Amino acid sequence: MTDFTLWDIARNLLLALRWTVLLSLVSFVGGGLVGLLILFARIARPRALRVAAKLYIELFQGTPLLMQLFLAFFGFGLFGVSVPAWLAAGIALILWAAAFLGEIWRGCVEAIARGQWEASASLGMSRFEQMRHVILPQALKIAVPPTVGFSVQVVKGTALTSIIGFVELTKAGTIVTNATFQPFTVYGLVALFYFALCWPLSLTSQALERKLNVSHSHY
Amino acid sequence: MTYTFNFDWIAQYWPVIVKGILITLELTFVGGVVGILLGILCAFVKLYGAAPLRFVVGAYVELIRNTPFLVQLFFIFFGLPALGVRLGELEAANIAMVVNLGAYACEIIRAGIQATPKGQFEAGVSLAMTRLETFRHVVLVPSLQRIWPALSSQLVIVMLGSAVVSQIAAEDLTYAANFIQSRTFRAFEAYFVSTLIYLVLAIVLRQAMAGLGVLIFPRRSSR
Amino acid sequence: MNRRHFIARLAGIALVAATALAGQHAAAAGLDAVEQRGTLRVAVPQDFPPFGSVGTDMTPQGYDIDMAKLIADKIGVKLELVPVTSANRIPYLQTDKVDLVISSLGKNAEREAVIDFSDAYAPFYNGVFGPKDSGVSKPEDLSGKTVGVTRGSVEDLELSKIAPSDATLKRYEDNNGTISAFLSDQVDVVATGNVVAAAILAKNPPRKPEPLFLIKNSPCYVGMSKNEPKLMEKVNAIVAEAKKDGSLDAISEKWLGVKLPEDI
């Protein structure tokens, strides 16, 4: 077996980091799209839709992401659908992220004063038009900081896909550890790479939030 | 679909599941109590401590909140022995949970304290309370009450996150599912049952925290 | 933008989500499916040297990987290597994520109930390994010791039967965990394959897994879904031919340093 230099370790981890980034992007964007559907269902007029969305959120927020990954991973096959590891991981992460994003955004939509619904309705706008022209633009503004903040959770969530065998940063860490016998260095580096990925997102989220609070205090 | 579901294994393996539930609860309890205390301490340091201390606590909070729990766990369990610190899997899991919740609790509690109007502190002092009494009655307790729901949610998140401690052979509920899976090859059923149990645990924990909130913060109208 | 546009956009979003969810549908199973697809999906270890591990460029290498290459070549299809852990390799097969498991898989009654096995293709002796001064030379000596083992492996199932009741078995998810636990001194001894321990020993690790006692002679078989007679026939024919023409001996010499023993 060949010897790993520190550079070999870092290089292999960096290569695996690409998968972490890709999986995070897919989960975040996909989760956002499904999350929008959840949001619309959650604030829809029909009670059945609202209840269904609430159940969805409870289910995904009330069970471990790891279990969701396992179930997606071994579940699809049982129902005659064959999905490769990365797709099962992606689907589970998307559904999980959607539950959180949908709930975060519902909070933002509801924070926009109720009176605005009535005002825009009195202008003869349909519910979709109200949503599109009045509520969403305002809700969007206050939704950005917590949404960016949640992206950190998505990046960290991808670490769990290592357990179902997806070779991303964490899995690469365990594999390299066994080839090098240097768990302290390897896991230290892995943590550092995650930090390098997440910290800028956290800082951005905090900065956006401060900016928003400042601009709000002008009212 | 050719697969037939089979839950017969429950009859034989339920003690493994019960043991797993107990370990998950134990981890959550220790993580919750010690983690929240650590969070209060860190929030206090971050707000009122000396600059170097503030920096250390700040670095700790950012480091933990921006790395995955699984990696923290691996680092503590597999990495620290290189420095001569050897912990059993339960100690390692407990410490990882305390350290993790502590960082989140610190930020939640700090935000709660900062939201306390300054005037209230002065009002307390003018009532001839000592600074410590004022801090406790006027700042800390109302702040905790204000952020209790956020703290409860975080505790549920940490409880669900504890599923990964099975990776270092701590025998929690997820370990039970994995163990049963490796003996019966009923992967889907084993994970399905344990997922349901986690869901029940999450609901119960949320209710328990709400009840505890009422108990700890009586005589104050909920906001 | 008018209302219709907005609805159209929403529908688009729903469609994307639905397509993502649908995934690919499972085609016919067994050898026909493999030939139709043009790819053989094989579950291999990446944490189990010399059967499967990674080089400095992270590409899989080892006995099992060469075996997978050989079988894919003979069937005349492309090879897709799917890295698995010991704990989940059988569910991979059950849920149609792979066609074959070539992952130093030993045979036992529990496994035979859910999957089928080919003829043996590699020798494998599992045992207990650890520092020479651990004072362990037979199962009874494990009393009071902690033993690291990979959950669901043959070692795990056997040791669970023969270890004294006051021995503590620490069952890790995969071999990475088991080996890391031993190397970072989290367990006293470790139960694994003889060649695995030898491969680790050769890398001169901080703690040395010297052989202490053998548990079982448990050769490796190719695992596949139940009731796939055509696939079974094909794999067995390939294994038999490889034994005869010396290609399996070559793989064995390359990774284990010896020719295939007589009993395989």
Side-chain angles (χ1 to χ4, degrees):
Chain A
M1 192 85 178
T2 23
D3 285 319
F4 280 63
T5 62
L6 188 62
W7 165 238
D8 282 327
I9 297 176
R11 186 173 50 106
N12 284 316
L13 294 180
L14 279 172
L15 287 173
L17 183 72
R18 293 178 309 177
W19 290 104
T20 293
V21 171
L22 186 69
L23 196 58
S24 303
L25 282 175
V26 168
S27 316
F28 187 66
V29 173
L33 294 176
V34 181
L36 263 185
L37 295 182
I38 301 295
L39 165 69
F40 286 130
R42 192 76 179 77
I43 58 175
R45 286 219 179 98
R47 202 179 121 80
L49 267 182
R50 287 206 307 270
V51 172
K54 181 139 174 37
L55 276 180
Y56 176 94
I57 292 168
E58 288 285 320
L59 208 61
F60 281 87
Q61 292 194 348
T63 55
L65 174 60
L66 181 59
M67 284 293 149
Q68 296 165 23
L69 282 164
F70 277 137
L71 287 178
F73 200 58
F74 296 123
F76 281 111
L78 302 185
F79 295 101
V81 186
S82 169
V83 292
W86 63 268
L87 188 58
I91 290 171
L93 280 167
I94 285 173
L95 295 181
W96 169 79
F100 281 87
L101 286 173
E103 186 69 1
I104 289 172
W105 293 340
R106 182 189 64 97
C108 298
V109 167
E110 287 187 350
I112 302 300
R114 282 217 85 79
Q116 305 226 2
W117 281 109
E118 285 140 31
S120 48
S122 71
L123 288 174
M125 289 171 133
S126 73
R127 194 165 167 93
F128 272 122
E129 284 167 340
Q130 294 170 38
M131 201 63 189
R132 170 77 182 79
H133 295 291
V134 181
I135 307 295
L136 279 189
Q138 299 181 72
L140 197 65
K141 213 162 122 195
I142 59 170
V144 171
T147 305
V148 175
F150 183 71
S151 68
V152 175
Q153 306 302 324
V154 175
V155 175
K156 294 192 295 176
T158 61
L160 295 191
T161 62
S162 64
I163 297 173
I164 58 171
F166 188 77
V167 183
E168 39 62 80
L169 183 52
T170 306
K171 185 76 187 177
T174 63
I175 296 173
V176 172
T177 298
N178 260 31
T180 62
F181 310 133
Q182 298 179 29
F184 187 81
T185 314
V186 176
Y187 289 124
L189 275 176
V190 169
L192 204 65
F193 286 148
Y194 274 110
F195 188 74
L197 218 53
C198 294
W199 201 42
L201 290 171
S202 292
L203 288 180
T204 312
S205 165
Q206 285 159 17
L208 287 171
E209 195 156 358
R210 265 196 304 275
K211 213 170 112 193
L212 198 69
N213 284 340
V214 170
S215 68
H216 262 223
S217 63
H218 287 310
Y219 289 119
Chain B
M1 172 178 161
T2 50
Y3 193 86
T4 40
F5 290 95
N6 180 331
F7 291 96
D8 295 346
W9 49 267
I10 292 178
Q12 187 188 348
Y13 286 102
W14 67 266
V16 181
I17 296 181
V18 170
K19 189 183 170 205
I21 294 175
L22 290 179
I23 299 233
T24 293
L25 286 177
E26 188 265 345
L27 286 172
T28 310
F29 181 77
V30 173
V33 172
V34 186
I36 290 175
L37 289 178
L38 179 66
I40 294 175
L41 185 73
C42 288
F44 193 76
V45 169
K46 233 186 150 183
L47 285 170
Y48 310 110
L53 273 180
R54 281 210 307 272
F55 176 80
V56 170
V57 170
Y60 152 67
V61 168
E62 292 302 320
L63 210 58
I64 294 301
R65 296 205 317 159
N66 289 294
T67 50
F69 179 60
L70 180 61
V71 176
Q72 294 160 14
L73 193 67
F74 280 162
F75 188 81
I76 292 174
F77 189 70
F78 294 129
L80 286 189
L83 300 185
V85 183
R86 191 169 315 116
L87 303 156
E89 65 282 349
L90 273 182
E91 286 105 338
N94 263 323
I95 288 174
M97 289 186 67
V98 165
V99 164
N100 190 276
L101 182 64
Y104 282 93
C106 170
E107 281 307 284
I108 294 172
I109 294 165
R110 186 185 58 85
I113 293 177
Q114 277 182 329
T116 308
K118 268 216 152 53
Q120 291 204 358
F121 191 81
E122 281 141 29
V125 175
S126 74
L127 283 175
M129 292 206 256
T130 66
R131 290 184 68 84
L132 194 69
E133 277 175 339
T134 315
F135 181 77
R136 197 182 129 202
H137 294 290
V138 180
V139 181
L140 187 60
V141 174
S143 307
L144 276 181
Q145 184 177 12
R146 192 175 305 126
I147 50 91
W148 194 252
L151 212 51
S152 307
S153 305
Q154 192 61 43
L155 186 60
V156 173
I157 289 176
V158 167
M159 190 269 281
L160 297 175
S162 76
V164 302
V165 303
S166 57
Q167 293 303 301
I168 57 166
E171 302 182 357
D172 75 326
L173 180 52
T174 303
Y175 178 92
N178 283 330
F179 181 81
I180 293 166
Q181 186 262 103
S182 74
R183 293 300 192 268
T184 63
F185 305 109
R186 292 283 169 189
F188 188 81
E189 290 93 322
Y191 293 130
F192 183 75
V193 168
S194 52
T195 303
L196 281 186
I197 297 173
Y198 271 114
L199 187 61
V200 172
L201 288 182
I203 293 169
V204 169
L205 182 60
R206 213 172 287 150
Q207 295 300 325
M209 284 299 279
L212 196 63
V214 173
L215 218 66
I216 302 179
F217 311 111
R219 283 181 295 135
R220 284 170 201 268
S221 60
S222 62
R223 298 179 351 123
Chain C
M1 187 181 297
N2 60 26
R3 177 182 180 167
R4 205 172 305 146
H5 265 114
F6 188 72
I7 294 174
R9 187 172 283 188
L10 259 190
I13 291 168
L15 195 66
V16 168
T19 335
L21 281 175
Q24 317 152 244
H25 275 274
L31 188 58
D32 295 339
V34 171
E35 282 169 346
Q36 200 184 325
R37 203 188 303 120
T39 328
L40 180 71
R41 302 168 303 170
V42 183
V44 293
Q46 27 69 334
D47 56 1
F48 209 54
F51 287 95
S53 65
V54 294
T56 47
D57 59 353
M58 297 292 273
T59 47
Q61 57 181 34
Y63 194 120
D64 287 341
I65 284 97
D66 283 355
M67 190 66 205
K69 283 179 186 155
L70 180 87
I71 292 180
D73 273 354
K74 297 279 176 182
I75 299 181
V77 290
K78 271 195 299 204
L79 173 65
E80 182 189 338
L81 294 173
V82 182
V84 294
T85 65
S86 296
N88 68 19
R89 56 196 169 176
I90 289 174
Y92 259 77
L93 204 53
Q94 290 174 306
T95 57
D96 190 33
K97 287 191 164 46
V98 294
D99 305 302
L100 299 176
V101 172
I102 305 181
S103 182
S104 43
L105 188 65
K107 200 195 293 198
N108 62 29
E110 292 91 338
R111 287 178 181 166
E112 273 183 302
V114 286
I115 63 170
D116 282 347
F117 292 91
S118 72
D119 297 333
Y121 71 90
F124 192 83
Y125 299 89
N126 51 41
V128 169
F129 301 82
K132 275 270 173 267
D133 57 9
S134 60
V136 173
S137 61
K138 53 186 181 303
E140 294 75 52
D141 295 340
L142 292 177
S143 166
K145 304 272 186 205
T146 54
V147 188
V149 65
T150 302
R151 185 165 53 229
S153 62
V154 171
E155 304 87 89
D156 176 16
L157 300 172
E158 289 300 317
L159 213 51
S160 299
K161 290 175 203 154
I162 62 171
S165 59
D166 61 343
T168 313
L169 294 187
K170 296 282 174 216
R171 299 184 180 88
Y172 295 91
E173 178 83 8
D174 53 26
N175 297 302
N176 275 323
T178 308
I179 294 166
S180 290
F182 173 74
L183 294 176
S184 54
D185 211 358
Q186 295 286 7
V187 291
D188 296 320
V189 294
V190 65
T192 186
N194 57 337
V195 282
V196 176
I200 297 168
L201 210 50
K203 288 194 276 179
N204 199 24
R207 278 187 96 213
K208 299 199 178 2
E210 312 272 2
L212 301 175
F213 67 86
L214 276 182
I215 302 173
K216 198 182 176 193
N217 174 7
S218 168
C220 308
Y221 302 83
V222 178
M224 65 194 81
S225 295
K226 275 210 154 311
N227 305 317
E228 298 291 352
K230 277 170 77 181
L231 188 59
M232 174 69 83
E233 203 180 307
K234 186 83 186 169
V235 169
N236 278 339
I238 293 170
V239 171
E241 193 195 331
K243 280 178 190 167
K244 213 186 289 170
D245 70 11
S247 47
L248 206 53
D249 266 334
I251 295 178
S252 178
E253 271 189 274
K254 177 175 167 194
W255 295 107
L256 308 181
V258 290
K259 285 197 168 160
L260 223 49
E262 285 302 316
D263 58 342
I264 298 288

